[in-house]
Amino acid sequence: MWIEALIAVTLASAFAVFLAPNKVAGKLAFALSLLPLVGSLWMYSTYEASGNALLEGSELAFESNFEWVTAGPYALNWHVGLDGISMPLVALTTVLTSLALLASWTPIDERQSQFYGLMLFLEASLLGVFSALDFFVWFVFWEMVLVPMYVLIGVWGGPRRKYAAIKMFVYTNIASLVMFIGFIALVFGLGDSVTSLDMPAIAQALRAGELGGLGPLSAGTLKVAAFVAMFAGFAVKVPVVPFHTWLPDAHVEAPTPVSIMLAGVLLKMGTYALLRFNFTMLPKVAQNNAQIIALFAVISVIYGAMLALAQSDLKRIVAYSSVSSMGYVILGLVAYTLYGMGGATFQMVAHGLISGLMFMSVGVIYNTTHTRMVSDMSGLASKMPFTVAVFVAGAFGYMGLPLMAGFAAELFIFLGSFGAFAGSVWFTAAAMFGIVVVAGYLLFAMQRTLFGTFELETDYEVGPAAFHDVAPLVVLILLVILLGVEPSIFYTMIQDAVNPLVPAAGGGV
Amino acid sequence: MAFQLPTWMALGPTFVLGLTALLLLVFDSITPNATSRGVLSGTATLGSLVAVGLSAWYLLAGTGAEPIRLYQNSLVVDTMTLFFAFVFSSVTALVSVASYDYLRDHSYQAEYYALVTLAATGMTLMAAANSLAVVFVSLELASLPSYALVAILKKNRGSVEAGLKYFLVGALSSSIFAYGISLVYGVTGSLLLPEIANNLAAPELTGVLGLGIMMVLGGFAFKTASVPFHFWAPEAYEGAPAPISAFLSSASKAAGFAVAFRVFLVAFPIEQLVTGAAASVDWVLAAQILAVVTMTLGNFAAATQDTVKRMLAYSSIGHAGYVLIGLAALSGGNNEFVLAGGMSHLLVYGFMNTGAFLFIALTEYWSIGRNFEDFNGLASQAPFACTVMTVFLFNLAGLPVGGGFMSKYFLFGAAVGAGFWWLAAVGAINSAVSLYYYSRVVKAMWIEDASGEFDIESKPVGLYAALAAAAVVTVLLLPGFGPVWQYATDAAAALVA
């Protein structure tokens, strides 16, 4: 019942904050968000499970499974549980939410209670996405994420917020629909061999080859069609080039805390779902088309990095770099090796922390200088040394400097994908080149904005940021280093859940 | 069983609603001008709540599990009757509470509540009708008060015009319906639904029978605001007082479907009409065409509207199209689930759609304009009402914030299961379109900046209470969908068996 308690406490907090007066909403929301944070950390420390949530012979942590609606082939169950893939993401969600709430105190200056209420509502939905094991429950949470996000960007965002919010909403909702149709087609293709939408049951039935045809579609065509529909649906969320155009708009217009949640957790929904659905349920299709998927991944890495190189807005630079980083995740997944898939999952967490760190520090710089244009500022290091130091540390993390989380993740991915399938050497080499570009644009941007003589085209006084603005940055940088020095904190757990998926370990079908 | 209620008590919800209407008329005749709004609205609410309670109690006690036949089998109380009685009386209760504020300065208060409860009586009777004669009478009992209710804002030209239009179309379709009944009677020699089915083997008059069935279908299309008899609906819903729009688009529509389900399944079994000796008309095919056209027309027309109330009116036509899938996907071997999908969508719809129209009632009460732009920035002034409205709209669109998603999922899923995946696909595309226009309202309320000052001088208790109740039920129907689905499948199973 711990997962239910976690979600319920967060939802109840959201309502409490929604009704609280504006003045106290921020502090109340932060205080209340500590409950799920402590809860998830406690769950983490007592976590005891083995194997992959969707495969046979696994033992899940905090699992519960109740009948909800019984209706022949349409039965729904409340089924939640955690394995080594979802546990780190649940922890990541609670950590980032609390820090993002702290980072909201300065920039959010109107309708606070609504803002903080929606942030907590968002957290509850995300926790649900990462713990649900029934497709229906999962989809409910998946769609629930959109509603607060839409309002959060649309009300508290920048000048083009309405456009960005609607674009995000329309893109990702249509994607969900496409994915939904793909998945439901699979379920109907399975016919009588499944009696509910239980994801483990469906995954096992699919892997056991019980899929029949559907209408005019043969089983083989149905598999590929469903794979494509689900991949397209999740690729928008990730986002994979060319489905990425909503992301920079959403990022640039969203207020800092929302950007943190968007890059840190929301994008992981896409890769998490890809791992759970496409790569776990239809491994054969994925393996047969590895080159095509890897091509998407590499294009995302290189093209995202190139786009970042061309930006003049600090936030846009960070936003496009997310496209690039998530490309690595796809590459790791398609490798189907222990290191590849494990590294991909590790990268989800690592990128969550690092991108959160980057957006937060850009936010702190913006709060002080009121500009994000690279050309408008120079030599910030002399005025706000601490913030700048953290920004540099985050950028190093992004570049994949050893002993930081990003390095561990990317190393695993490259180790895993190198030689994993025909042609993978070339894909890996091309993706590795992305690191060079990343280092290029980050160093270039830092050199122009942070160092040199101080110059700023703005009317605002520039000084060190408030304690509550820098505190979350410190927490994040410590976490990034911790994960870089000691990857096994998460990695053993992740490996244990990923291993059954890997063909070499006898998991491939 | 220590104590057994007399069998006529099975019609309890109908009697309670009818007596409430009479009681209201008595109040009015004692003190025509002095009866307070509170007493009238309170009586109507209390009466409908008792009806809600009775139907819920009967359902829980399993009263309808074995159909109770009354008055020489011309009325039947089974799970479906009670299921729909629950829907009608819930909507009536919400509307009665909300009308307390809405009717603040209007005349004909007692008549208003009496007409609402009378129409509700007719609707519960429709759900119980087991003879075409009773179907006709109860349909008229539900319709005639509705005409008057639409036109009750006598000084408002829109209201009067809408009432007139509604009445004219209604009269026309009533006569078509009555003619259809007479043709069916002529061929089968009976008005009782089960007997019609028994007498269907009369091959020499199949053409007449087919014509009669199509005319009956037309009558239902009018009542449920389905294409091609839909064009009264946008006018009537827009011109009527908003609580009445809620009442008509939720309860009245559900009543039309309740009786259509029973008549077509019991009296005109599709196997006999397509393949048997009486092969005359494939009304399932007709329902398929109706469903596709109705949802598409409703949704695309809704997407192009300028006023919110009219948008909701067209979207309600779209929802009629979804429910028609319940009839259209029959004969696919999954009848029970398809029909249950339609029924449970009507139940959820009863709450979410009523809620949305009651929000319109609230904005009319505040004299906020009718266009989308007039709602700009309303959330900063009335965050609670706007949150609730957001819940309704996302539910109507089928996002999983409440029961709306559940019922649509089951409906479309059952259609796919019956092999009609193309019906589900059209439904899904329409749902995607509907998200566009529903979220326009959400966008206006939350995201746009207010263009002017709102004149929100008070927060009416009645309207707020009704909105809150509808929202709570709508959301709770997500986790609590189990029993709804259970009763709907039970009811459907009894019909298709």
Side-chain angles (χ1 to χ4, degrees), chain B residues 411-443:
Chain B
L411 183 61
F412 293 167
V416 174
F420 292 95
W421 54 269
W422 55 273
L423 269 177
V426 175
I429 293 168
N430 272 296
S431 265
V433 173
S434 75
L435 188 62
Y436 160 74
Y437 57 77
Y438 287 129
S439 61
R440 260 179 90 187
V441 185
V442 177
K443 178 174 157 246

Side-chain angles (χ1 to χ4, degrees), chain A residues 365 368-369 377-392 446-456 461-465:
Chain A
I365 290 177
T368 341
T369 63
M377 46 188 158
S378 150
L380 286 182
S382 57
K383 292 286 178 180
M384 36 197 318
F386 191 78
T387 313
V388 166
V390 181
F391 186 88
V392 172
M446 286 196 297
Q447 183 248 323
R448 285 188 292 169
T449 54
L450 308 182
F451 306 114
T453 48
F454 177 72
E455 243 175 78
L456 191 63
E461 191 65 29
V462 174

